[in-house]
Amino acid sequence: MTTVEERAELLDRATATGQAIPQLTSDGPMSLETAYAVQHAGIALRERRGERLAGVKLGFTSKAKAEQMGVSDVIIGSLTDRMRIEDGGTFAVRHGVHPRIEPEVAFRLGPDAELVAVAPALEIIDSRYRDFRFSLADVVADNTSASAFVLGPWTQLDRVDALAVDLLFDGEIVASGSTTDILGDPLRALPAAQRMAAAYGHRLLGGSVLLAGAATAAVALKAGTQVEARVAGLGSVSVRTKED
Ligand code: 0L1
Ligand code: MG
């Protein structure tokens, strides 16, 4: 059996090369605790290369996705500054394995890790496993498929449930949902993140970002697409894909 560090290095190499790997659990079962240890070891590799923690993200926050995966709880991953793309910036699809994009809501945390502002967001997820197939432990070890994120304009916190969300490719709607699909109300992301952070050793830093979860299914990305997420009342956020 490979060590936690060796598994983190396998995933890290897959991220760097864009070459998918077999599921780690194809060698045998992996506990959730070990999977989170692999995730943290992967983030430590990034930190050693100079990346800085920028926040945390939640996954499996929609009932549909949780049921599809046969899980009853959310998962948590870490975001780094290198994963952030400026609003209106570009993402090179060739650098990913098989990237997908999903519209989200993001929160900015205050000094006591309280919610202070909200923004529309896009998350690019990219499983490092072949065919985007994985077990719960595999996806946790793979930092919950985190690849990149884009934040729209911050606004003061208000009610954020039941806001219509559209994902557009080149001006055409490709997926629609509601912020209610994020844990019933995206504000529930904070207690969920606090609980998961306490259980699995993540840090909720003042000034950092909490990516609350997706409001629609993720859609596969190809080069040359103008992608936009619109969240009613919060505005929009965009990214353009390119080949290389
Ligand atoms: O951000 C997410 O909801 C992704 C969670 C991991 C599952 C996936 O890669 O689809
Ligand atoms: Mg997501």
Side-chain angles (χ1 to χ4, degrees):
M1 193 38 131
T2 50
T3 65
V4 162
E5 280 69 29
E6 285 167 340
R7 287 179 239 186
E9 274 160 22
L10 275 175
L11 286 161
D12 192 61
R13 208 167 312 125
T15 308
T17 60
Q19 299 294 311
I21 57 170
Q23 295 176 33
L24 297 178
T25 56
S26 59
D27 283 349
M30 176 165 54
S31 71
L32 209 48
E33 284 68 24
T34 301
Y36 274 110
V38 174
Q39 184 192 119
H40 287 308
I43 293 298
L45 288 173
R46 286 175 173 266
E47 288 183 312
R48 252 175 263 152
R49 292 194 293 264
E51 294 185 42
R52 291 216 298 253
L53 279 180
V56 296
K57 59 158 284 188
L58 296 178
F60 299 151
T61 48
S62 87
K63 215 165 164 225
K65 188 100 166 242
E67 274 168 10
Q68 187 189 6
M69 281 300 292
V71 297
S72 55
D73 204 357
V74 299
I75 53 178
I76 188 168
S78 289
L79 303 171
T80 71
D81 57 350
R82 196 77 57 81
M83 296 179 190
R84 177 149 179 208
I85 300 170
E86 286 307 310
D87 190 7
T90 54
F91 174 80
V93 290
R94 271 266 301 278
H95 295 189
V97 182
H98 32 212
R100 300 176 180 177
I101 197 157
E102 52 192 24
E104 302 216 2
V105 164
F107 296 106
R108 195 172 63 220
L109 302 181
D112 297 318
E114 75 281 20
L115 303 181
V116 291
V118 61
L122 285 161
E123 186 187 15
I124 296 171
I125 55 171
D126 191 13
S127 175
R128 269 54 70 163
Y129 302 113
R130 222 167 269 155
D131 303 324
F132 228 110
R133 291 173 65 84
F134 41 71
S135 68
L136 179 64
D138 284 313
V139 70
V140 164
D142 189 20
N143 195 24
T144 67
S145 304
S147 172
F149 64 101
V150 195
L151 303 174
W154 291 112
T155 51
Q156 239 185 337
L157 199 59
D158 200 351
R159 279 190 62 168
V160 287
D161 60 324
L163 305 179
V165 178
D166 289 320
L167 178 67
L168 299 95
F169 280 12
D170 296 326
E172 301 282 328
I173 294 177
V174 292
S176 291
S178 159
T179 54
T180 303
D181 293 327
I182 306 166
L183 296 169
D185 181 341
L187 292 180
R188 294 193 182 127
L190 182 61
Q194 286 168 329
R195 180 171 55 78
M196 297 301 285
Y200 296 111
H202 295 71
R203 283 169 283 165
L204 302 183
L205 304 170
S208 71
V209 170
L210 166 56
L211 214 47
T216 74
V219 181
L221 279 176
K222 57 181 177 47
T225 310
Q226 180 69 21
V227 182
E228 183 187 2
R230 291 183 189 154
V231 183
L234 297 186
S236 75
V237 54
S238 70
V239 66
R240 181 156 191 88
T241 60
K242 58 177 186 168
E243 187 66 31
D244 212 344

